[in-house]
Amino acid sequence: MRPKLVLFGDSITEESFGEGGWGAALAHRFSRKADVVLRGYSGYNTRWALKVVGRAMEGVCPDGVAPPAAATVFFGANDATLPDRCSGFQHVPLPEYQTNLRAICAYLRERWSSTVIILITPPPIDEDGRLRDTSGDNSSGLPERTNEYAGAYAKACVAVANELGLPVIDIWSKMLQFPDWEKSFLRDGLHFTASGNSVLFEEVVKKLGDEGLSLEALPVDLPDLLDMDPNDPLKSFCD
Amino acid sequence: MRPKLVLFGDSITEESFGEGGWGAALAHRFSRKADVVLRGYSGYNTRWALKVVGRAMEGVCPDGVAPPAAATVFFGANDATLPDRCSGFQHVPLPEYQTNLRAICAYLRERWSSTVIILITPPPIDEDGRLRDTSGDNSSGLPERTNEYAGAYAKACVAVANELGLPVIDIWSKMLQFPDWEKSFLRDGLHFTASGNSVLFEEVVKKLGDEGLSLEALPVDLPDLLDMDPNDPLKSFCD
């Protein structure tokens, strides 16, 4: 039975199977080795995620079935909207963000004790990109998110991961290491371009590898064509 | 619990979560409505697929869990290798191809009586593209597949679908309707370019819709941000 990798998060997870998306890239990478299960909920913050985590995970691994090998928990971009700007209804105060993250991880740990939980921090924000984004109805001239504020949530997420002893991907800090991160990695100041997706994909692959979930370590599902004997291919299917 | 769409096939299924792939596009399209489960086995013909179908479907929907809403069965490209050329060990005679297809469908029907089974014919072949392909070890100067031969398997697949009363996507005939199908849809004379993937994606979406599995018909998993009351978002999570 193939191991499962569950992606639990907000819109950056929900859209991760779009063109160049990090979720699709994971599914492609592990195409014969693991099932990637998408549980992305656009616009959700940790307060709402905590409300739905039980329902979101229903059916991922029913009772009696092996728990997922790993789950990414990727929230914070919506928690970190500024409370007094447009989108303020998505805001969650920083201490509650941490409490919610702890509770989501506790729920997953309780349900599936062996699952590797990987926290992902909110991404950086390009305020200029947010203002140029015409998909919302922000006419205030002020961005609803700032990079500094997102950075505080990223640090808070890392702190929770350290406290719980969980692996964490600090995608906020990672992306900031690159020149022109604002435009190369973020297509609207928040969501990822193909290059941005690729940065996160590589980080997830690295973390999975650290936890023993590498391409090399996972068995291939059913005989590989390259391992078959062209003179007697059916031999591969005897056991 | 989200419905599942299972993709069972050969390399064109296995690589369907790559850049621009039809599987990833399906997962993206149904990102809040259905789980797309990848069961692609590179190089496999129907003889081998029949041997492994039980094991391939293990864990897709364990006992007691709702069966998949739909499954695509997409084999034939390898059955239709010419027996006396390189890759001949993958060849399956046409009558056996039909028998195997019937048996695979019977297996799925027996296991999951409500699942919509969609057959997909082998794709067309660009012989020139096959000869230019340097990934294999064909030094004979003769293509291991021909379009005419693939077409016979496509017709045979359609015949089986009609006989069993199953929906079928005749991707061989569909692609041939377009000018320059050889180079626009096939990157190596066999596997799909992004445009080729897109043609198949649209056909699968159409067939799923015919069977009541459209984006509009399927319920969204958990409250949609757009349906929430910004003044009281938690109301959406009360039930």
Side-chain angles (χ1 to χ4, degrees), chain B residues 97-162:
Chain B
Y97 169 63
Q98 291 190 298
T99 306
N100 293 340
L101 274 185
R102 282 185 204 104
I104 291 167
C105 294
Y107 176 88
L108 295 173
R109 174 68 69 243
E110 171 75 17
R111 185 170 187 143
W112 299 311
S113 61
S114 64
T115 302
V116 173
I117 301 169
I118 301 173
L119 288 181
I120 306 176
T121 73
I125 297 297
D126 169 34
E127 290 151 41
D128 172 62
R130 292 311 294 152
L131 285 175
R132 287 168 195 267
D133 177 47
T134 51
S135 68
D137 55 353
N138 184 2
S139 54
S140 68
L142 294 168
E144 86 297 354
R145 293 165 171 89
T146 67
N147 192 43
E148 191 187 345
Y149 208 54
Y153 281 69
K155 282 187 190 63
C157 175
V158 171
V160 169
N162 291 340

Coordinates of all heavy atoms in Angstrom, one line a residue, chain B residues 97-162:
Chain B
Y97 N -5.7 -8.1 -26.4 CA -5.8 -6.7 -25.8 C -7.3 -6.5 -25.5 O -7.6 -6.0 -24.4 CB -5.4 -5.7 -26.9 CG -5.8 -4.3 -26.6 CD1 -5.2 -3.6 -25.5 CD2 -6.6 -3.5 -27.5 CE1 -5.6 -2.3 -25.2 CE2 -6.9 -2.2 -27.2 CZ -6.4 -1.6 -26.1 OH -6.7 -0.3 -25.9
Q98 N -8.2 -6.9 -26.3 CA -9.6 -6.8 -26.1 C -10.1 -7.6 -24.9 O -10.8 -7.2 -24.0 CB -10.5 -7.1 -27.3 CG -10.3 -6.1 -28.4 CD -11.3 -6.3 -29.5 OE1 -11.3 -7.3 -30.2 NE2 -12.1 -5.3 -29.8
T99 N -9.6 -8.9 -24.9 CA -10.0 -9.8 -23.7 C -9.5 -9.2 -22.4 O -10.2 -9.2 -21.4 CB -9.3 -11.1 -24.0 OG1 -9.7 -11.6 -25.3 CG2 -9.7 -12.1 -22.9
N100 N -8.2 -8.7 -22.4 CA -7.7 -8.1 -21.2 C -8.5 -6.9 -20.7 O -8.7 -6.7 -19.5 CB -6.2 -7.7 -21.4 CG -5.3 -8.9 -21.6 OD1 -5.7 -10.1 -21.3 ND2 -4.1 -8.7 -22.2
L101 N -8.8 -6.0 -21.7 CA -9.6 -4.8 -21.4 C -10.9 -5.2 -20.7 O -11.3 -4.7 -19.7 CB -9.9 -4.0 -22.6 CG -8.9 -2.9 -23.1 CD1 -9.4 -2.1 -24.2 CD2 -8.5 -2.0 -21.9
R102 N -11.6 -6.2 -21.3 CA -12.8 -6.7 -20.7 C -12.6 -7.2 -19.3 O -13.4 -6.9 -18.4 CB -13.4 -7.8 -21.6 CG -14.1 -7.4 -22.9 CD -14.7 -8.6 -23.5 NE -14.9 -8.4 -25.0 CZ -14.1 -8.8 -25.9 NH1 -13.1 -9.7 -25.7 NH2 -14.3 -8.5 -27.2
A103 N -11.5 -7.9 -19.1 CA -11.3 -8.5 -17.8 C -10.9 -7.4 -16.8 O -11.3 -7.5 -15.6 CB -10.1 -9.5 -17.9
I104 N -10.2 -6.4 -17.2 CA -9.8 -5.3 -16.3 C -11.1 -4.6 -15.8 O -11.4 -4.3 -14.7 CB -8.8 -4.3 -16.9 CG1 -7.5 -5.0 -17.1 CG2 -8.7 -3.0 -16.1 CD1 -6.5 -4.2 -18.0
C105 N -12.0 -4.3 -16.8 CA -13.3 -3.6 -16.5 C -14.1 -4.5 -15.6 O -14.8 -4.0 -14.7 CB -14.0 -3.3 -17.8 SG -13.1 -2.1 -18.8
A106 N -14.1 -5.8 -15.9 CA -15.0 -6.7 -15.1 C -14.5 -6.7 -13.6 O -15.2 -6.7 -12.7 CB -14.9 -8.2 -15.7
Y107 N -13.1 -6.7 -13.5 CA -12.6 -6.7 -12.1 C -13.0 -5.4 -11.4 O -13.5 -5.5 -10.3 CB -11.0 -6.7 -12.2 CG -10.5 -6.5 -10.8 CD1 -10.2 -7.6 -10.0 CD2 -10.2 -5.3 -10.3 CE1 -9.8 -7.5 -8.7 CE2 -9.7 -5.1 -9.0 CZ -9.5 -6.2 -8.2 OH -9.0 -6.1 -6.9
L108 N -12.9 -4.3 -12.1 CA -13.3 -3.0 -11.4 C -14.8 -3.0 -11.1 O -15.2 -2.5 -10.1 CB -12.9 -1.8 -12.3 CG -11.4 -1.6 -12.6 CD1 -11.2 -0.5 -13.6 CD2 -10.7 -1.3 -11.2
R109 N -15.6 -3.5 -12.1 CA -17.0 -3.5 -11.9 C -17.4 -4.4 -10.7 O -18.3 -4.1 -9.9 CB -17.7 -4.0 -13.2 CG -19.1 -4.3 -13.3 CD -20.0 -3.0 -13.1 NE -19.9 -2.1 -14.3 CZ -19.4 -0.9 -14.2 NH1 -18.9 -0.4 -13.1 NH2 -19.4 -0.1 -15.3
E110 N -16.7 -5.5 -10.6 CA -17.0 -6.5 -9.5 C -16.6 -5.8 -8.2 O -17.3 -6.0 -7.2 CB -16.1 -7.7 -9.8 CG -16.1 -8.8 -8.7 CD -17.4 -9.6 -8.6 OE1 -18.2 -9.5 -9.6 OE2 -17.6 -10.2 -7.6
R111 N -15.5 -5.2 -8.2 CA -15.0 -4.6 -6.9 C -15.8 -3.3 -6.5 O -16.1 -3.1 -5.3 CB -13.5 -4.2 -7.1 CG -12.9 -3.6 -5.8 CD -11.4 -3.5 -6.0 NE -10.8 -3.1 -4.7 CZ -9.6 -3.6 -4.3 NH1 -8.9 -4.4 -5.0 NH2 -9.1 -3.2 -3.1
W112 N -16.2 -2.5 -7.5 CA -16.9 -1.3 -7.2 C -18.0 -1.1 -8.3 O -17.8 -0.6 -9.4 CB -15.9 -0.1 -7.4 CG -14.8 -0.1 -6.4 CD1 -14.8 -0.3 -5.1 CD2 -13.4 0.2 -6.8 NE1 -13.5 -0.1 -4.6 CE2 -12.6 0.1 -5.6 CE3 -12.7 0.4 -8.0 CZ2 -11.3 0.3 -5.5 CZ3 -11.3 0.6 -7.9 CH2 -10.6 0.6 -6.7
S113 N -19.2 -1.6 -7.9 CA -20.3 -1.6 -8.9 C -20.7 -0.2 -9.4 O -21.2 -0.1 -10.5 CB -21.4 -2.4 -8.4 OG -21.9 -1.8 -7.2
S114 N -20.5 0.8 -8.5 CA -21.0 2.1 -8.9 C -20.0 3.0 -9.7 O -20.4 4.1 -10.1 CB -21.5 2.8 -7.7 OG -20.4 3.1 -6.8
T115 N -18.8 2.6 -9.7 CA -17.7 3.4 -10.3 C -17.9 3.5 -11.8 O -18.1 2.6 -12.5 CB -16.4 2.8 -10.0 OG1 -16.2 2.7 -8.6 CG2 -15.2 3.6 -10.6
V116 N -17.9 4.8 -12.3 CA -17.9 5.0 -13.7 C -16.5 4.7 -14.3 O -15.5 5.3 -14.0 CB -18.2 6.5 -14.0 CG1 -18.1 6.8 -15.5 CG2 -19.6 6.9 -13.5
I117 N -16.5 3.7 -15.2 CA -15.3 3.3 -15.9 C -15.2 4.0 -17.2 O -16.1 3.9 -18.1 CB -15.2 1.8 -16.0 CG1 -15.3 1.1 -14.7 CG2 -13.9 1.4 -16.8 CD1 -15.5 -0.4 -14.7
I118 N -14.2 4.8 -17.4 CA -14.0 5.5 -18.7 C -12.8 4.9 -19.4 O -11.6 5.0 -18.9 CB -13.7 7.0 -18.5 CG1 -14.9 7.6 -17.8 CG2 -13.5 7.7 -19.8 CD1 -14.7 9.1 -17.3
L119 N -13.0 4.3 -20.6 CA -11.9 3.7 -21.4 C -11.3 4.8 -22.2 O -12.0 5.7 -22.7 CB -12.4 2.6 -22.3 CG -12.7 1.3 -21.6 CD1 -13.1 0.2 -22.6 CD2 -11.5 0.7 -20.8
I120 N -10.0 4.8 -22.3 CA -9.3 5.7 -23.2 C -8.4 4.9 -24.2 O -7.7 4.0 -23.8 CB -8.4 6.7 -22.4 CG1 -9.2 7.4 -21.3 CG2 -7.7 7.7 -23.3 CD1 -8.3 8.3 -20.4
T121 N -8.6 5.2 -25.5 CA -7.9 4.5 -26.5 C -6.4 4.9 -26.5 O -6.0 5.9 -26.0 CB -8.4 4.8 -27.9 OG1 -8.0 6.1 -28.3 CG2 -9.9 4.7 -28.0
P122 N -5.5 4.1 -27.1 CA -4.1 4.5 -27.2 C -4.1 5.8 -28.1 O -5.0 6.0 -28.9 CB -3.4 3.3 -27.9 CG -4.5 2.4 -28.4 CD -5.7 2.7 -27.6
P123 N -3.1 6.6 -27.9 CA -3.0 7.8 -28.7 C -2.4 7.6 -30.1 O -1.9 6.4 -30.3 CB -1.9 8.6 -27.9 CG -1.0 7.6 -27.3 CD -1.9 6.4 -27.0
P124 N -2.5 8.5 -31.0 CA -1.8 8.4 -32.3 C -0.3 8.3 -32.1 O 0.2 8.7 -31.1 CB -2.3 9.6 -33.1 CG -2.6 10.6 -32.0 CD -3.1 9.9 -30.8
I125 N 0.4 7.9 -33.1 CA 1.8 7.7 -33.1 C 2.4 8.5 -34.2 O 1.9 8.5 -35.4 CB 2.2 6.2 -33.3 CG1 1.7 5.4 -32.1 CG2 3.8 6.1 -33.5 CD1 2.3 5.7 -30.8
D126 N 3.4 9.3 -33.9 CA 4.2 10.0 -35.0 C 5.5 9.2 -35.2 O 6.4 9.3 -34.3 CB 4.5 11.5 -34.5 CG 5.5 12.1 -35.4 OD1 5.5 11.9 -36.6 OD2 6.3 12.9 -34.9
E127 N 5.5 8.5 -36.3 CA 6.6 7.6 -36.5 C 8.0 8.3 -36.6 O 9.0 7.8 -36.0 CB 6.4 6.7 -37.7 CG 5.2 5.7 -37.4 CD 4.4 5.3 -38.7 OE1 5.0 5.1 -39.7 OE2 3.2 5.2 -38.5
D128 N 7.9 9.4 -37.2 CA 9.1 10.2 -37.3 C 9.6 10.6 -35.9 O 10.8 10.6 -35.6 CB 8.8 11.5 -38.2 CG 9.9 12.5 -38.2 OD1 11.0 12.1 -38.7 OD2 9.7 13.6 -37.7
G129 N 8.7 11.0 -35.1 CA 9.0 11.4 -33.7 C 9.6 10.2 -32.9 O 10.6 10.4 -32.1
R130 N 9.1 9.0 -33.2 CA 9.6 7.8 -32.5 C 11.1 7.6 -32.9 O 11.9 7.2 -32.1 CB 8.8 6.6 -32.8 CG 7.4 6.6 -32.2 CD 7.3 6.9 -30.7 NE 8.0 6.0 -29.9 CZ 8.6 6.3 -28.7 NH1 8.5 7.5 -28.3 NH2 9.1 5.4 -28.0
L131 N 11.3 7.8 -34.2 CA 12.7 7.5 -34.7 C 13.7 8.5 -34.2 O 14.9 8.2 -34.0 CB 12.7 7.5 -36.2 CG 12.1 6.2 -36.8 CD1 12.0 6.3 -38.3 CD2 12.9 5.0 -36.4
R132 N 13.2 9.8 -34.0 CA 14.1 10.8 -33.5 C 14.3 10.7 -32.0 O 15.2 11.3 -31.4 CB 13.5 12.2 -33.7 CG 13.6 12.6 -35.2 CD 12.7 13.9 -35.4 NE 12.5 14.1 -36.8 CZ 13.3 14.9 -37.5 NH1 14.3 15.5 -37.0 NH2 13.0 15.1 -38.8
D133 N 13.4 9.9 -31.3 CA 13.5 9.8 -29.8 C 14.8 9.0 -29.5 O 15.1 8.0 -30.0 CB 12.3 9.0 -29.3 CG 12.4 8.8 -27.8 OD1 12.7 9.7 -27.1 OD2 12.2 7.6 -27.4
T134 N 15.6 9.6 -28.6 CA 16.9 9.0 -28.3 C 16.9 8.4 -26.9 O 17.9 7.9 -26.4 CB 18.0 10.1 -28.3 OG1 17.6 11.2 -27.5 CG2 18.3 10.6 -29.7
S135 N 15.7 8.3 -26.3 CA 15.7 7.8 -24.9 C 15.8 6.2 -24.9 O 16.3 5.7 -23.9 CB 14.4 8.2 -24.2 OG 13.3 7.6 -24.8
G136 N 15.4 5.6 -26.0 CA 15.4 4.1 -26.0 C 16.7 3.6 -26.7 O 17.7 4.4 -26.8
D137 N 16.8 2.4 -27.1 CA 18.0 1.9 -27.8 C 17.6 1.3 -29.1 O 17.9 0.2 -29.5 CB 18.7 0.9 -26.9 CG 17.8 -0.2 -26.5 OD1 16.6 -0.2 -26.7 OD2 18.3 -1.2 -25.9
N138 N 16.8 2.1 -29.9 CA 16.3 1.6 -31.2 C 17.4 2.0 -32.2 O 17.4 3.2 -32.7 CB 15.0 2.3 -31.5 CG 14.4 1.7 -32.8 OD1 15.0 0.9 -33.5 ND2 13.3 2.3 -33.2
S139 N 18.2 1.1 -32.7 CA 19.1 1.4 -33.7 C 18.8 0.8 -35.0 O 19.6 0.7 -36.0 CB 20.5 0.9 -33.2 OG 20.4 -0.4 -32.9
S140 N 17.5 0.3 -35.1 CA 17.1 -0.5 -36.3 C 16.7 0.4 -37.5 O 16.6 0.0 -38.6 CB 15.9 -1.4 -36.0 OG 14.8 -0.6 -35.7
G141 N 16.5 1.7 -37.2 CA 16.0 2.6 -38.2 C 14.5 2.4 -38.5 O 14.0 3.0 -39.4
L142 N 13.9 1.5 -37.8 CA 12.4 1.3 -38.0 C 11.7 1.7 -36.7 O 12.1 1.3 -35.6 CB 12.2 -0.2 -38.3 CG 12.7 -0.7 -39.6 CD1 12.6 -2.2 -39.7 CD2 11.9 -0.1 -40.8
P143 N 10.6 2.4 -36.8 CA 9.8 2.7 -35.5 C 9.2 1.5 -34.9 O 8.8 0.5 -35.6 CB 8.7 3.7 -36.0 CG 8.5 3.3 -37.5 CD 9.8 2.8 -38.0
E144 N 9.2 1.5 -33.6 CA 8.6 0.3 -32.9 C 7.1 0.3 -32.8 O 6.5 -0.7 -32.4 CB 9.3 0.2 -31.5 CG 8.7 1.0 -30.4 CD 8.7 2.5 -30.6 OE1 9.3 3.0 -31.5 OE2 8.1 3.2 -29.7
R145 N 6.6 1.5 -33.1 CA 5.1 1.6 -33.2 C 4.8 2.3 -34.5 O 5.6 3.1 -35.0 CB 4.6 2.5 -32.1 CG 4.7 1.9 -30.7 CD 4.5 3.0 -29.6 NE 4.4 2.5 -28.3 CZ 5.4 2.3 -27.5 NH1 6.6 2.5 -27.9 NH2 5.2 1.8 -26.2
T146 N 3.6 2.1 -35.1 CA 3.1 2.9 -36.2 C 1.7 3.4 -35.9 O 1.0 2.9 -35.0 CB 3.0 2.0 -37.5 OG1 2.0 1.0 -37.3 CG2 4.3 1.3 -37.8
N147 N 1.4 4.5 -36.6 CA 0.1 5.1 -36.3 C -1.1 4.2 -36.7 O -2.1 4.2 -36.1 CB 0.0 6.5 -37.0 CG -1.2 7.2 -36.4 OD1 -1.5 7.2 -35.2 ND2 -2.0 7.8 -37.3
E148 N -0.8 3.5 -37.8 CA -1.9 2.7 -38.4 C -2.2 1.5 -37.4 O -3.4 1.2 -37.1 CB -1.4 2.1 -39.7 CG -2.5 1.4 -40.4 CD -2.0 0.6 -41.7 OE1 -0.9 0.9 -42.1 OE2 -2.8 -0.2 -42.2
Y149 N -1.1 1.0 -36.8 CA -1.3 -0.1 -35.9 C -2.0 0.4 -34.6 O -2.9 -0.3 -34.1 CB 0.1 -0.7 -35.6 CG 0.1 -2.2 -35.2 CD1 -0.6 -3.2 -36.0 CD2 0.7 -2.6 -34.0 CE1 -0.5 -4.5 -35.6 CE2 0.7 -4.0 -33.6 CZ 0.1 -4.9 -34.4 OH 0.1 -6.2 -34.1
A150 N -1.5 1.5 -34.1 CA -2.2 2.1 -32.9 C -3.6 2.4 -33.2 O -4.5 2.2 -32.3 CB -1.5 3.4 -32.5
G151 N -4.0 2.8 -34.4 CA -5.3 3.1 -34.8 C -6.2 1.8 -34.7 O -7.4 1.9 -34.3
A152 N -5.6 0.7 -35.1 CA -6.4 -0.6 -35.0 C -6.7 -0.9 -33.5 O -7.8 -1.3 -33.2 CB -5.6 -1.7 -35.6
Y153 N -5.8 -0.6 -32.6 CA -6.0 -0.9 -31.2 C -7.0 0.1 -30.6 O -7.8 -0.2 -29.8 CB -4.7 -0.8 -30.4 CG -3.9 -2.1 -30.5 CD1 -3.3 -2.4 -31.7 CD2 -3.7 -3.0 -29.5 CE1 -2.6 -3.6 -31.9 CE2 -3.0 -4.2 -29.6 CZ -2.5 -4.5 -30.8 OH -1.8 -5.7 -30.9
A154 N -7.0 1.4 -31.1 CA -7.9 2.4 -30.7 C -9.3 1.9 -31.1 O -10.3 2.0 -30.3 CB -7.6 3.7 -31.3
K155 N -9.5 1.4 -32.3 CA -10.8 1.0 -32.8 C -11.3 -0.2 -31.9 O -12.5 -0.3 -31.6 CB -10.8 0.5 -34.3 CG -10.8 1.7 -35.2 CD -11.0 1.3 -36.7 CE -10.7 2.5 -37.6 NZ -9.4 3.1 -37.5
A156 N -10.3 -1.1 -31.6 CA -10.7 -2.3 -30.8 C -11.1 -1.9 -29.4 O -12.0 -2.5 -28.8 CB -9.5 -3.2 -30.7
C157 N -10.5 -0.8 -28.9 CA -10.8 -0.3 -27.5 C -12.2 0.3 -27.6 O -13.1 0.0 -26.7 CB -9.8 0.7 -27.1 SG -10.1 1.6 -25.6
V158 N -12.5 1.1 -28.6 CA -13.9 1.6 -28.7 C -14.9 0.5 -28.8 O -16.0 0.6 -28.2 CB -13.9 2.6 -30.0 CG1 -15.4 3.0 -30.3 CG2 -13.0 3.8 -29.8
A159 N -14.6 -0.5 -29.6 CA -15.5 -1.6 -29.7 C -15.8 -2.3 -28.4 O -17.0 -2.6 -28.1 CB -15.0 -2.7 -30.7
V160 N -14.8 -2.5 -27.6 CA -15.0 -3.1 -26.2 C -15.9 -2.2 -25.4 O -16.8 -2.6 -24.7 CB -13.6 -3.3 -25.5 CG1 -13.9 -3.7 -24.0 CG2 -12.9 -4.5 -26.2
A161 N -15.6 -0.9 -25.4 CA -16.4 0.1 -24.6 C -17.9 0.0 -25.1 O -18.8 -0.1 -24.2 CB -15.9 1.5 -24.8
N162 N -18.1 0.0 -26.4 CA -19.5 -0.1 -26.9 C -20.2 -1.4 -26.4 O -21.3 -1.4 -26.0 CB -19.5 0.0 -28.4 CG -19.1 1.5 -28.8 OD1 -19.2 2.4 -28.0 ND2 -18.7 1.6 -30.1

